Amino acid sequence: MPSSDSEDFESADEGQSPDKKERKHRLSSSNYSENSLENNLEHKKTPNSANTLEKPEENTNEPTDGWDDFDIDENESIEPEPRLEVKSKTNKETVKKESTKSEDTGWDKFDDWDQDVNTSSTKIENDPPVPSKQPEPDIKEVTDRLAAASTKSSGWGWGWGVDSLLSTATAGITTLTTQVSQGLTTVLETGIGAPDPEELARRNLRDTEATPSKSDDVVTSDSGKEETDVPRSTSETAFPFGSLLSGVTKFVETTGTKVISGGLDTLETIGKKTMEVLQDGDPGLAKKRAMLGLDPGDKPVLSQVLREAKAKAEEEDRIREEKREAKEVHYENLFDDFEGLVHLEALEMLSRQVTMRLDERIQAAAPEKRQDIKETLQQVAELCEMPEEDDDDEETPAKDMSKADAFHERLQTATQDLGLKLQFQPLIKQYNDILTWLDTSDADLTQKAVYKRSVSGLAQATALSVELYHKTAEMLLVKTRRSTADEADALTQMTVALTKHIGDLATLFTEKLNSIPTDNKEQNNTYITNIFLEAGNSSTYIQNAFQLALPILQIGAV
Amino acid sequence: MTSGPYNYSYIFKYIIIGDMGVGKSCLLHQFTDKKFMADCPHTIGVEFGTRIIEVAGQKIKLQIWDTAGQERFRAVTRSYYRGAAGALMVYDITRRSTYNHLSSWLTDTRNLTNPSTVIFLIGNKSDLDGQRDVTYEEAKQFADENGLMFVEASAKTGQNVEEAFLETAKKIYQSIQDGRLDLNAAESGVQHKPASPGRPLAAQPPARDNCAC
């Protein structure tokens, strides 16, 4: 696809497993990852987030950051051992960055929320973060406890905190999972008081040990991102919890190779908890929504909306019906359906091919001969000029002959010098069908029906005529003995006969229209005008086809 | 002949080629009308058939050019290869000569179409296994060596006919999805039809690979 600039798509192509399912997952993960990057971008202004934040495009060139790469790393880490080492380092970095980032922004947003409850979300994003004293004790408490927890389990000191904990966790071993789970437990318990984190962690751990299957990796890591997105976007507004969560979810991703379908449930629960916490004292997130400008000022009434939707749907139906009707009597569509267009196209291809051969012949000829050839070509072209709208002295056909038979005879007479066996039957049959229809149609025939039949009849007659030229051209090209003058004359006569046929058809239909009693004279006139318009259209097609056949006549002469 | 609704998203041009009498027109009839024409007259120049199929939820109109197999029309039919998205190259499993001519047909196809044209080799008349003159294995090998898709089919019983046409369409569609086939190129053999108003969804090229986020 031309517009596919997503690096994911490329990487999916290069990837080891072209499995569609996986690709799909990757794609969806890329969606999320872009989102989270955008979130990061929003925080870019916060001075604390010193990490380089990439725009999604830059991300393409930057191997160490962003979720996309992250995802790829994971997949690559399915590969043999040595590589895994390198990749997990990369992962570590990613995690570190991400969590510091989100931690910072988490605080900032907390401040902002406190102070700017009533300002719009854009304002918040643009506001330089005002360092506030108020939340600090809390934060300190939380982080201290977290540090304590980390120290307890792994012996790391303060200063690394969640970051280092998590980044080491990417080494991806069960013991580390335990550490993190403990860290998480502590944090959740002490810092926020969200219920049941132990259970979550336990489940997480259990699943980690249970199914280190590769195929699950992708699922889990993707869903990890999915979940990450939720707490992140919501935590923006308020809570440090968000940053921790994103760290945790990121952990789940980084250890993706070992992690597991069960992580999905865990994350979902975490996401739900986050929402609960966010909604605490703010049911339905009304305040936060208002602050973010998500709710339009005046809510439309539901019934009103439904009424409008219904009206709109009805209007669409009506338009659709009209268009369908229009298409039914659309000359070009019908012409295409009767294969007129494709025959014309084929004839054009032949014509172009032969014209090239003619040019080649002229080029190849000796210079003194060239003029001769050109003159010959010119003469053939002149032979094919349509006679003036001449003598109306119709060679009145024998009285006992039907119109269709007369037409057939005219065609045969016209083309007898062509030396080809042409099939006029389809044209004659169609003519007969129309004549029968016009004669036998019942009394309550509407104008519209006649009009429809006329457009379709004209389109079909034209398509059959074009086919006739096409077949003639093909047969002339494989004919062994050519007599260009005769052929040119025959084709000219055939063109006259065919255009006259079109005119006859138009007249027959308009006569029929006029024979129907109507009180809508205006509509009738519109129909009649259109019929003659389409008849003119038909004649143009036929004469174009004739002109396309000209080089085929010419090449027989040189 | 009025084939009704115009709600397809793409038009693919196919061309059917191969020696005289291998059953090109019969394959086409089997595909478009699900009928076997026992007495198929010699094709003059080229004849056409259409059918709307569905690939990956997209309606696609196949515009099939069924060429004359007679040697005398060879120069004429060569004019028609251009812009074919799919080429069905047919031989008769009961007549080795038709198989032996394949390399010549293949050369024409390669020279006169674009590189993305999908070429599908069909060994027709698989119902006449008793008179078989070309083994499946050697034809399969020929197809593999030349990167062609291949089935043995029977225009008479209909066996594998549908498959050949549909698989070709799938391959072409895949080429579009992968960006190997440029719809804007005049010679791609694929036209993208703007959707009829009633079916906005049918017209949308699938957004799957279009991730512009």
Side-chain angles (χ1 to χ4, degrees):
Chain A
M1 287 271 102
S3 65
S4 168
D5 55 350
S6 153
E7 64 150 6
D8 248 81
F9 186 55
E10 282 168 33
S11 62
D13 266 352
E14 294 154 8
Q16 295 85 17
S17 62
D19 177 15
K20 255 185 196 158
K21 193 172 142 205
E22 190 179 2
R23 181 187 292 191
K24 201 174 154 206
H25 279 302
R26 282 164 171 234
L27 283 172
S28 66
S29 78
S30 107
N31 279 339
Y32 287 113
S33 65
E34 303 285 16
N35 282 345
S36 62
L37 277 171
E38 269 167 39
N39 283 340
N40 290 341
L41 278 175
E42 282 172 16
H43 304 317
K44 200 168 182 177
K45 271 130 200 162
T46 61
N48 284 342
S49 50
N51 295 303
T52 42
L53 293 164
E54 286 81 23
K55 289 177 179 144
E57 309 92 66
E58 288 168 6
N59 193 22
T60 319
N61 308 324
E62 189 67 59
T64 46
D65 294 282
W67 296 89
D68 282 330
D69 303 299
F70 191 55
D71 195 17
I72 292 160
D73 287 344
E74 258 174 21
N75 285 299
E76 280 168 358
S77 67
I78 296 167
E79 289 180 340
E81 284 297 321
R83 205 152 166 192
L84 180 72
E85 191 60 30
V86 185
K87 292 301 169 189
S88 46
K89 246 183 224 162
T90 321
N91 288 349
K92 272 184 228 169
E93 277 174 48
T94 316
V95 174
K96 219 185 290 178
K97 254 176 219 173
E98 291 291 332
S99 43
T100 11
K101 230 184 286 170
S102 32
E103 218 169 32
D104 292 338
T105 51
W107 301 127
D108 289 340
K109 287 306 168 194
F110 193 92
D111 301 340
D112 287 343
W113 186 40
D114 266 1
Q115 292 162 7
D116 305 320
V117 179
N118 291 322
T119 54
S120 73
S121 61
T122 38
K123 179 125 186 290
I124 289 172
E125 277 152 21
N126 294 330
D127 271 350
V130 187
S132 155
K133 299 255 152 55
Q134 204 199 357
E136 247 173 40
D138 290 342
I139 298 162
K140 203 152 193 308
E141 196 178 67
V142 171
T143 45
D144 273 346
R145 283 179 200 219
L146 174 61
S150 315
T151 320
K152 218 191 307 171
S153 51
S154 66
W156 291 324
W158 170 249
W160 286 87
V162 188
D163 288 356
S164 58
L165 175 62
L166 291 174
S167 48
T168 322
T170 53
I173 312 192
T174 351
T175 52
L176 288 174
T177 316
T178 323
Q179 291 167 13
V180 177
S181 315
Q182 284 173 0
L184 172 62
T185 313
T186 322
V187 171
L188 290 178
E189 268 176 353
T190 57
I192 295 122
D196 267 334
E198 279 168 329
E199 174 55 29
L200 296 182
R202 255 200 302 278
R203 205 191 309 169
N204 196 352
L205 174 60
R206 193 172 57 235
D207 290 333
T208 309
E209 287 164 348
T211 45
S213 109
K214 282 179 185 174
S215 59
D216 283 342
D217 291 345
V218 187
V219 178
T220 318
S221 57
D222 284 344
S223 54
K225 276 165 216 139
E226 205 169 310
E227 294 300 328
T228 311
D229 204 34
V230 176
R232 273 175 151 247
S233 50
T234 43
S235 67
E236 261 170 41
T237 53
F239 227 78
F241 187 26
S243 64
L244 293 171
L245 272 177
S246 55
V248 170
T249 48
K250 235 162 288 145
F251 148 72
V252 175
E253 287 173 55
T254 46
T255 46
T257 359
K258 286 96 209 160
V259 195
I260 29 21
S261 48
L264 188 66
D265 303 332
T266 311
L267 291 164
E268 191 180 341
T269 317
I270 291 175
K272 278 177 186 159
K273 289 294 172 218
T274 311
M275 283 308 287
E276 272 173 32
V277 171
L278 284 173
Q279 294 197 36
D280 192 27
D282 184 11
L285 292 174
K287 278 186 221 159
K288 295 179 188 76
R289 275 174 205 258
M291 187 186 73
L292 290 166
L294 291 177
D295 284 345
D298 50 334
K299 271 195 180 174
V301 187
L302 180 62
S303 60
Q304 178 69 20
V305 172
L306 290 174
R307 248 198 308 279
E308 277 167 16
K310 185 164 171 276
K312 205 176 161 200
E314 275 168 2
E315 175 71 5
E316 273 169 7
D317 278 351
R318 198 180 56 77
I319 292 171
R320 201 174 303 168
E321 183 59 24
E322 271 174 14
K323 295 234 165 139
R324 200 186 55 76
E325 284 262 305
K327 274 197 168 152
E328 238 170 49
V329 288
H330 190 280
Y331 181 88
E332 260 74 28
N333 278 337
L334 290 163
F335 182 63
D336 188 17
D337 281 351
F338 292 119
E339 293 184 344
L341 218 49
V342 72
H343 275 290
L344 200 62
E345 187 188 340
L347 177 58
E348 207 172 336
M349 289 171 100
L350 268 189
S351 184
R352 221 180 299 146
Q353 195 74 26
V354 172
T355 307
M356 273 162 56
R357 263 157 61 195
L358 278 174
D359 288 346
E360 278 166 21
R361 282 196 195 178
I362 293 171
Q363 294 302 318
E368 65 271 17
K369 281 253 182 184
R370 278 183 200 165
Q371 200 50 41
D372 285 356
I373 296 176
K374 282 182 185 166
E375 273 170 24
T376 312
L377 297 183
Q378 185 55 37
Q379 281 165 7
V380 180
E382 280 163 14
L383 281 173
C384 292
E385 266 163 28
M386 289 291 284
E388 298 289 313
E389 279 299 319
D390 60 341
D391 37 83
D392 272 359
D393 62 342
E394 299 241 332
E395 344 81 70
T396 35
K399 289 265 169 10
D400 55 341
M401 208 183 250
S402 76
K403 278 179 180 164
D405 287 345
F407 174 49
H408 194 183
E409 194 177 272
R410 216 174 303 133
L411 283 174
Q412 275 177 331
T413 318
T415 57
Q416 64 188 4
D417 290 340
L418 208 49
L420 302 173
K421 273 171 86 180
L422 290 175
Q423 287 293 324
F424 300 120
Q425 273 318 311
L427 263 174
I428 306 306
K429 183 180 178 298
Q430 192 239 353
Y431 197 13
N432 270 324
D433 288 350
I434 289 174
L435 290 169
T436 316
W437 187 83
L438 286 173
D439 282 346
T440 59
S441 49
D442 47 314
D444 49 75
L445 189 69
T446 62
Q447 291 171 303
K448 187 158 191 170
V450 177
Y451 175 63
K452 272 187 185 173
R453 188 73 173 84
S454 69
V455 175
S456 143
L458 285 170
Q460 189 177 8
T462 313
L464 290 169
S465 303
V466 169
E467 180 175 350
L468 203 52
Y469 283 100
H470 177 213
K471 286 293 147 209
T472 307
E474 286 177 332
M475 285 157 86
L476 283 176
L477 279 174
V478 299
K479 201 174 137 197
T480 38
R481 288 160 71 112
R482 304 287 298 268
S483 50
T484 309
D486 287 345
E487 291 163 10
D489 185 54
L491 271 193
T492 311
Q493 293 309 316
M494 186 172 93
T495 310
V496 173
L498 289 172
T499 41
K500 182 177 177 304
H501 174 57
I502 296 295
D504 288 351
L505 286 179
T507 311
L508 282 171
F509 280 115
T510 47
E511 275 170 4
K512 184 75 188 175
L513 266 185
N514 279 329
S515 76
I516 298 175
T518 177
D519 38 1
N520 193 347
K521 206 73 194 151
E522 200 175 315
Q523 179 67 69
N524 216 21
N525 286 337
T526 313
Y527 282 149
I528 290 172
T529 312
N530 279 345
I531 290 175
F532 279 111
L533 218 65
E534 303 298 14
N537 217 351
S538 294
S539 300
T540 311
Y541 273 118
I542 289 172
Q543 287 179 25
N544 278 345
F546 182 33
Q547 285 310 307
L548 286 172
L550 177 60
I552 287 121
L553 293 172
Q554 286 172 323
I555 202 159
V558 295
Chain B
M1 257 217 280
T2 22
S3 50
Y6 305 94
N7 52 10
Y8 44 86
S9 329
Y10 296 95
I11 306 175
F12 291 175
K13 174 179 172 179
Y14 279 17
I15 185 163
I16 312 182
I17 49 171
D19 274 12
M20 186 172 79
V22 297
K24 298 180 291 300
S25 301
C26 291
L27 283 169
L28 174 62
H29 270 272
Q30 180 61 250
F31 178 66
T32 55
D33 302 342
K34 303 210 161 52
K35 276 185 207 137
F36 177 61
M37 293 202 321
D39 289 320
C40 207
H42 288 310
T43 305
I44 293 167
V46 67
E47 294 291 345
F48 304 103
T50 57
R51 193 177 131 184
I52 294 177
I53 58 159
E54 206 172 297
V55 172
Q58 298 279 305
K59 286 232 165 55
I60 293 166
K61 175 174 170 178
L62 299 184
Q63 175 72 260
I64 305 151
W65 297 46
D66 167 34
T67 65
Q70 286 171 284
E71 185 58 36
R72 64 190 184 116
F73 278 114
R74 197 76 182 260
V76 169
T77 52
R78 277 199 185 105
S79 311
Y80 299 139
Y81 284 67
R82 223 179 45 162
L88 306 183
M89 198 163 73
V90 188
Y91 71 96
D92 176 351
I93 65 158
T94 69
R95 273 159 60 215
R96 175 155 285 276
S97 63
T98 66
Y99 174 78
N100 292 340
H101 291 157
L102 285 179
S103 54
S104 148
W105 288 110
L106 187 59
T107 309
D108 271 7
T109 312
R110 296 248 197 255
N111 288 340
L112 297 165
T113 61
N114 45 343
S116 59
T117 300
V118 174
I119 308 175
F120 203 112
L121 179 63
I122 300 176
N124 193 24
K125 309 196 186 176
S126 63
D127 52 299
L128 301 176
D129 200 51
Q131 302 164 44
R132 180 186 285 276
D133 204 9
V134 182
T135 65
Y136 177 88
E137 287 71 25
E138 60 181 317
K140 176 72 181 146
Q141 192 187 342
F142 174 83
D144 288 346
E145 279 165 5
N146 292 284
L148 316 175
M149 299 166 90
F150 171 61
V151 289
E152 284 189 351
S154 167
K156 192 171 184 178
T157 66
Q159 184 210 4
N160 278 342
V161 174
E162 191 95 353
E163 284 78 357
F165 283 86
L166 295 186
E167 287 303 313
T168 308
K170 280 182 198 160
K171 190 90 180 286
I172 296 167
Y173 188 74
Q174 194 54 51
S175 297
I176 298 171
Q177 297 306 301
D178 296 349
R180 266 177 290 143
L181 202 153
D182 183 7
L183 289 185
N184 297 321
E187 319 269 286
S188 69
V190 175
Q191 289 172 54
H192 201 159
K193 265 250 176 182
S196 60
R199 304 286 185 102
L201 285 176
Q204 302 277 324
R208 222 171 25 133
D209 295 333
N210 241 346
C211 183
C213 45

